[in-house]
């Protein structure tokens, strides 16, 4: 199994669920994490990543960490200073249409979104609300482009898009697609030589369906145009994702692997969860399992079954612990003398 991993955690793309997988694997195998100084949950985002943002990093004795997975704005030469040269790099992408809709609800307090009554209103006259100079403007346009370290307001020329795609391909070993999450987990498992239980998960940091609504076609086109750079990244890597499935696994085996993953997830849900699924934030009984609520989104969580034996309870709890609580617990374990 590979133990040196860099995960670029792209916003609103099922990345909290992937982070939980990395937290669990790291905890089980006593691996070290590149935590933000002081134990925060972002590596000084939205600034470009610098090695000095990592707790315990010193240029004089360059200590290497096993896993980098907290939010950052990617900058390869700096990331390379904190992990071994053999580390595996991966990230996850999401259809920019769904991403923008999700961002609008989740980051409603951002300067670009706060005055717009609806996403449609924002898209009809984006420059009425959007100022690229604002510190939080990246949430409102080409968010994936920004997270990968590029300028979200750059011109969309064929040459520039090409250079951007080539740079991403040169830096990353695998790009997952959140719309095909289970297929992504199978590819990840293969690449990292991990077992099935290491990549099984319950969705974390996801919204209650009551705040989701389908978008009319007219808005879909506006979102694509407004986030053209993200759209180029997504369509390119969605295509190479399936090329890789065909090359490395084949559709038939992929179907079997996905089926096994889903069966295992359902089995764990029956074992671990009250009522088999997620519940609204107000219905989460254990306050330590309550996810952060943000913007206008209602972030769902889980209730664990009572009466589980100790080992099972620990495993189940790991699966449903929200990222802020999990990150904080792992930070305390890695740096017992410091308190976040």
């Amino acid at each position: 199994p590979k133990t040196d991993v860099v995960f670029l955690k792209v916003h609103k793309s099922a990345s909290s669920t992937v982070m939980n997988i990395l937290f669990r694997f790291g905890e089980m195998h006593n691996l070290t994490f590149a935590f933000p100084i002081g134990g925060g949950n972002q590596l000084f985002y939205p600034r470009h990543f610098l090695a000095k943002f990592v707790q315990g990093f010193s240029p004089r004795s360059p200590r290497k960490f096993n896993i980098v997975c907290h939010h950052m704005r990617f900058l390869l030469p700096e990331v390379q200073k904190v992990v071994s040269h053999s580390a595996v790099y991966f990230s996850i992408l999401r259809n920019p249409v769904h991403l923008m809709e999700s961002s609008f609800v989740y980051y409603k307090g951002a300067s670009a979104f706060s005055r717009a009554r609806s996403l449609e209103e924002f898209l009809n006259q984006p420059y009425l609300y959007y100022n690229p100079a604002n510190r939080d403007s990246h949430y409102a346009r080409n968010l994936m482009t920004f997270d990968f370290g590029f300028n979200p307001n750059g011109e969309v020329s064929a040459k520039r898009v090409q250079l951007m795609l080539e740079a991403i391909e040169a830096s990353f070993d695998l790009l997952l697609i959140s719309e095909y999450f289970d297929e992504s987990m199978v590819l990840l498992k293969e690449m990292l030589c991990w077992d099935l239980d290491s990549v099984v998960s319950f969705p974390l940091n996801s919204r209650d369906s009551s705040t989701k609504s389908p978008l009319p076609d007219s808005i879909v086109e506006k979102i694509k145009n407004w986030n053209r750079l993200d759209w180029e990244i997504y369509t390119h890597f969605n295509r190479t994702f399936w090329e890789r499935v065909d090359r490395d696994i084949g559709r038939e085996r992929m179907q079997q692997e996905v089926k096994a993953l889903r069966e295992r997830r359902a089995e764990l849900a029956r074992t671990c969860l009250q009522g088999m699924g997620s519940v609204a934030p107000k219905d989460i009984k254990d306050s330590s399992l309550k996810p952060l609520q943000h913007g206008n989104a209602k972030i769902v969580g889980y209730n664990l079954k009572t009466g589980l034996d100790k080992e099972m309870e620990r495993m189940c709890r790991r699966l449903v612990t929200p990222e802020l609580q999990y990150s904080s617990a792992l930070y305390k374990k890695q740096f017992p003398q410091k308190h976040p």
Side-chain angles (χ1 to χ4, degrees):
K2 298 202 168 60
T3 53
D4 295 325
V5 178
V6 174
F7 172 52
L8 176 63
K9 186 174 188 285
V10 171
H11 286 77
K12 312 311 314 150
S13 304
S15 58
S16 295
T17 309
V18 179
M19 194 181 198
N20 175 270
I21 287 169
L22 296 173
F23 279 168
R24 280 168 19 226
F25 188 86
E27 186 182 14
M28 303 275 285
H29 297 85
N30 281 322
L31 304 179
T32 56
F33 291 87
F35 284 108
I37 284 176
N41 58 321
Q42 301 197 337
L43 288 156
F44 293 77
Y45 186 87
R47 289 168 62 187
H48 270 106
F49 176 80
L50 296 173
K52 67 177 186 188
F53 295 161
V54 174
Q55 181 86 52
F57 173 80
S58 142
R60 287 181 304 285
S61 62
R63 175 185 172 190
K64 303 291 188 188
F65 299 86
N66 298 116
I67 297 177
V68 183
C69 63
H70 288 73
H71 273 308
M72 65 172 153
R73 190 171 183 207
F74 191 69
L75 188 58
L76 181 63
E78 289 291 318
V79 176
Q80 286 171 329
K81 293 176 185 175
V82 300
V83 289
S84 84
H85 59 84
S86 61
V88 177
Y89 288 69
F90 76 101
S91 186
I92 188 163
L93 303 172
R94 185 182 185 187
N95 183 321
V97 175
H98 306 149
L99 182 83
M100 175 115 202
E101 188 273 335
S102 178
S103 296
F104 185 80
V105 176
Y106 198 80
Y107 299 112
K108 193 68 184 86
S111 56
F113 293 152
S114 58
R115 291 178 299 116
R117 280 176 307 206
S118 66
L119 183 53
E120 188 165 14
E121 192 175 285
F122 173 84
L123 290 161
N124 284 338
Q125 293 177 287
Y127 285 107
L128 191 64
Y129 306 101
Y130 176 80
N131 175 359
N134 286 349
R135 203 181 122 72
D136 62 358
S137 67
H138 54 279
Y139 291 121
R141 186 177 204 189
N142 289 316
L143 181 50
M144 293 191 288
T145 302
F146 182 88
D147 285 355
F148 276 94
F150 306 105
N151 174 9
N153 294 293
E155 54 151 356
V156 189
S157 64
K159 181 80 188 133
R160 194 161 173 276
V161 167
Q162 188 59 30
L163 286 169
M164 197 169 66
L165 296 175
E166 283 170 8
I168 295 172
E169 270 174 346
S171 303
F172 288 86
D173 299 290
L174 176 63
L175 286 145
L176 309 174
I177 303 287
S178 67
E179 281 77 15
Y180 303 103
F181 190 81
D182 291 346
E183 291 83 354
S184 292
M185 290 306 102
V186 172
L187 280 186
L188 185 66
K189 172 171 83 79
E190 293 285 306
M191 182 179 72
L192 297 176
C193 305
W194 289 7
D195 62 9
L196 181 69
D197 269 15
S198 297
V199 299
V200 76
S201 62
F202 298 138
L204 293 175
N205 202 28
S206 49
R207 264 197 296 159
D208 186 338
S209 53
S210 69
T211 58
K212 297 178 190 173
S213 48
L215 299 169
D217 292 348
S218 57
I219 293 188
V220 168
E221 285 313 308
K222 282 179 179 156
I223 293 177
K224 285 183 196 172
N225 288 329
W226 177 245
N227 298 282
R228 180 56 58 185
L229 292 170
D230 272 11
W231 185 251
E232 295 289 346
I233 291 175
Y234 178 76
T235 49
H236 174 82
F237 288 107
N238 187 19
R239 193 180 70 248
T240 59
F241 177 88
W242 291 104
E243 286 168 4
R244 183 162 183 157
V245 168
D246 290 335
R247 189 186 72 226
D248 295 355
I249 292 185
R251 299 283 169 122
E252 199 175 323
R253 191 177 136 224
M254 176 54 91
Q255 275 184 329
Q256 292 161 354
E257 293 271 354
V258 165
K259 184 167 176 273
L261 180 68
R262 287 174 181 166
E263 281 168 0
R264 181 65 181 135
R265 183 185 297 130
E267 186 185 342
L268 284 167
R270 281 192 297 274
T271 305
C272 296
L273 304 179
Q274 283 183 29
M276 291 275 299
S278 58
V279 296
K282 64 174 179 23
D283 298 322
I284 300 168
K285 300 187 183 86
D286 181 340
S287 61
S288 71
L289 296 179
K290 277 193 176 162
L292 174 76
Q293 301 299 317
H294 203 284
N296 288 352
K298 278 199 192 97
I299 306 298
V300 298
Y302 299 92
N303 286 320
L304 290 180
K305 276 190 176 161
T306 50
L308 296 168
D309 70 65
K310 211 166 177 181
E311 198 44 47
M312 204 65 198
E313 210 269 349
R314 263 194 32 213
M315 186 190 72
C316 293
R317 183 168 286 275
R318 282 183 180 132
L319 279 162
V320 299
T321 299
E323 79 182 72
L324 299 190
Q325 288 94 310
Y326 208 153
S327 180
S328 170
L330 291 173
Y331 178 82
K332 282 178 190 156
K333 195 171 160 185
Q334 193 166 310
F335 299 104
Q337 70 285 15
K338 297 186 188 308
H339 285 293

